[in-house]
Amino acid sequence: MTPDRLSVTLSALADPTRRGILARLATGEANVKELAEPYDMSLAAVSKHLKVLEQAGLISRGKDAQFRPCKLEAGPLRDVDGWLESYRRFWEESLDQLEVYLAELQKGDPDGSRN
Amino acid sequence: MTPDRLSVTLSALADPTRRGILARLATGEANVKELAEPYDMSLAAVSKHLKVLEQAGLISRGKDAQFRPCKLEAGPLRDVDGWLESYRRFWEESLDQLEVYLAELQKGDPDGSRN
DNA sequence: GACGTATTCAACCATTACGTTATCAACTCA
DNA sequence: TGAGTTGATAACGTAATGGTTGAATACGTC
């Protein structure tokens, strides 16, 4: 079965090398050799990571002589953000709870019995 | 090498069954059999998915007789949201660009030559 | 054309992921 | 105690992942 877009995006992101590459690309375009420089692995391995990122739509690649400049494409990240949206309340809620608690403390009502 | 937390979280999320389970748990606690019901796979398979989610800290499990109620834990999701933060500008920026473009269109300046 | 640089591809290997079935363990209740 | 239910574990097959090395391709330059 062909996996859904979100699964493809998330599994592309579930690798620290690939996230590192994206972080580097967030500062501007770069070619394969530049992207590979920080990593202790072969160029071929980095090339494979780039292929994964490209197939997930997280990067696009241009062509400049024998260089293949890579560019960040944020679309799939926005999709992840959209998916997260439905869960955001879970941690925002508990933050609110904490705020309420702290406010009560400050009022000298540590058991939060009001409400 | 033991993988970093964020990688563990993202690869746990990179499976539609597991995301489906989280979506179900967003509506309240449920036991394993209930969680397995929508899926065309063995209970053992679902049990494995739950183990992955638990090890990623995305769910916790209680104990009630022979039932093992599962509960959503949003902490790791908040971490993902935090990671996304550094990239948010990429799609918010391009949305701004679009807004500028549309505004120019409305003013009868389709080539956006002002600026 | 030959050389150097950048990048990909092919073949291979080890490990992990995801499903199966069969078995085991814990608990409830008649 | 014994049966039924819930859930986890073990052993297994198969496919995917992430790395390697070595050869191939594409381009610019001497």
Side-chain angles (χ1 to χ4, degrees), chain A residues 80-106:
Chain A
V80 173
D81 193 57
W83 177 79
L84 271 180
E85 191 53 39
S86 355
Y87 296 92
R88 193 156 288 128
R89 62 184 174 100
F90 284 97
W91 65 86
E92 282 173 354
E93 258 172 23
S94 47
L95 192 60
D96 288 351
Q97 295 288 97
L98 179 62
E99 281 163 359
V100 167
Y101 175 66
L102 292 175
E104 293 304 327
L105 268 188
Q106 204 138 353

Side-chain angles (χ1 to χ4, degrees), chain A residues 2-22:
Chain A
T2 143
D4 60 291
R5 259 188 83 72
L6 195 50
S7 295
V8 170
T9 300
L10 289 166
S11 70
L13 295 177
D15 180 289
T17 302
R18 289 195 289 260
R19 289 197 306 279
I21 289 172
L22 292 183

Side-chain angles (χ1 to χ4, degrees), chain A residues 17 33 35-46 49, chain B residues 1:
Chain A
T17 302
K33 202 190 177 205
L35 291 173
E37 195 267 326
Y39 302 103
D40 185 24
M41 70 180 68
S42 69
L43 218 59
V46 172
H49 281 305
Chain B
M1 207 177 300

Side-chain angles (χ1 to χ4, degrees), chain B residues 8-65:
Chain B
V8 170
T9 301
L10 289 167
S11 70
L13 295 177
D15 181 288
T17 302
R18 287 194 290 260
R19 289 198 306 279
I21 289 172
L22 292 183
R24 166 68 185 76
L25 290 177
T27 73
E29 300 194 8
N31 64 40
V32 181
K33 202 190 178 206
E34 289 166 346
L35 291 172
E37 195 267 325
Y39 303 102
D40 185 23
M41 71 179 69
S42 68
L43 215 60
V46 173
S47 185
K48 282 189 189 180
H49 281 305
L50 291 173
K51 193 180 202 175
V52 172
L53 289 171
E54 187 178 28
Q55 283 172 347
L58 284 160
I59 66 170
S60 61
R61 285 194 267 193
K63 194 168 187 179
D64 172 18

